[in-house]
Amino acid sequence: MFITLEGGEGAGKTTQMERIFQYLSQKGHPCVKTREPGHGFIGRQIRALLMLPANETLVPTAELLLFMADRAQHIESFILPEMQKGNVVLCDRFFDSTVVYQGFTGQVGVEKTLSFHDVVFNGFRPDLTILFDLNPGIGLHRTICQLNDGGRCEKESRFEQKKLDFHKKIRQGFLLRAEAEPERIKIVDAELSQEEVWLQIKKILDEFLQNNPAR
């Protein structure tokens, strides 16, 4: 089983991933956690290139190809082997982020990004995606606080430093992704308290497991 967490900056994905990990593990579904970009030695090097604020001049196609290179390494070296072991793979961001950030909000285009992904990865999709929907103004405030208190690395803040209009478009792009694939992508209101967000996620997980008992 492959579950991804998506959303704009400051949506609280990292906090809730740990709760998902513990909950599924207790229900007898062994889990592993990962993220994109940046899993493993090669992934961390690619992430450094992508997230460094000084690399703002990175052209759209090069940026897309770097994300795809990270994903190719990630899928073949970690995601598929872990799934074959019977583990649930929990991933903080995956291809929906690429479709939104590079395709919808960037200059590559959604259809081109989707087509590229499907050709390279044979249409590989998560089994379930949980989308953390949050007012971009609130999300940016959270990320600024995290940068100031050391909760986020300033060297990896290229996207966080973009203007509010960029983040508003990111939110729009994610909601369009959920509209396009409603069976896979489930939305939670990330403006609520952590406990209220968790209750939404728990309901989504319980319904998914009930409808997919063989997974």
Side-chain angles (χ1 to χ4, degrees), residues 1 28-31 80-89 215:
M1 190 189 310
H29 300 282
C31 299
L80 290 181
E82 290 297 329
M83 291 177 68
Q84 288 163 3
K85 294 176 187 175
N87 292 328
V88 178
V89 178
R215 292 185 181 276

Side-chain angles (χ1 to χ4, degrees), residues 106-162:
Q107 301 176 34
V108 178
V110 170
E111 292 306 318
K112 184 176 179 180
T113 306
L114 281 169
S115 297
F116 190 20
H117 175 89
D118 287 341
V119 168
V120 175
F121 304 114
N122 298 314
F124 182 66
R125 293 282 195 280
D127 298 300
L128 172 67
T129 296
I130 300 172
L131 172 58
F132 291 67
D133 182 45
L134 180 68
N135 181 308
I138 296 174
L140 280 179
H141 175 73
R142 289 179 182 177
T143 59
I144 290 170
C145 291
Q146 290 167 355
L147 284 167
N148 289 339
D149 66 17
R152 286 192 179 215
C153 178
E154 190 172 353
K155 291 181 179 179
E156 295 187 352
S157 62
R158 185 162 74 90
F159 291 102
E160 289 90 333
Q161 292 185 16
K162 290 182 179 292

Side-chain angles (χ1 to χ4, degrees), residues 155-187:
K155 291 181 179 179
E156 295 187 352
S157 62
R158 185 162 74 90
F159 291 102
E160 289 90 333
Q161 292 185 16
K162 290 182 179 292
K163 294 182 179 179
L164 183 59
D165 285 347
F166 172 86
H167 295 281
K168 288 180 178 179
K169 195 167 183 181
I170 290 295
R171 184 188 192 186
Q172 181 186 0
F174 274 123
L175 292 175
L176 287 172
R177 290 297 302 137
E179 186 179 312
E181 296 190 45
E183 293 302 312
R184 174 175 66 86
I185 304 174
K186 305 300 180 182
I187 302 173

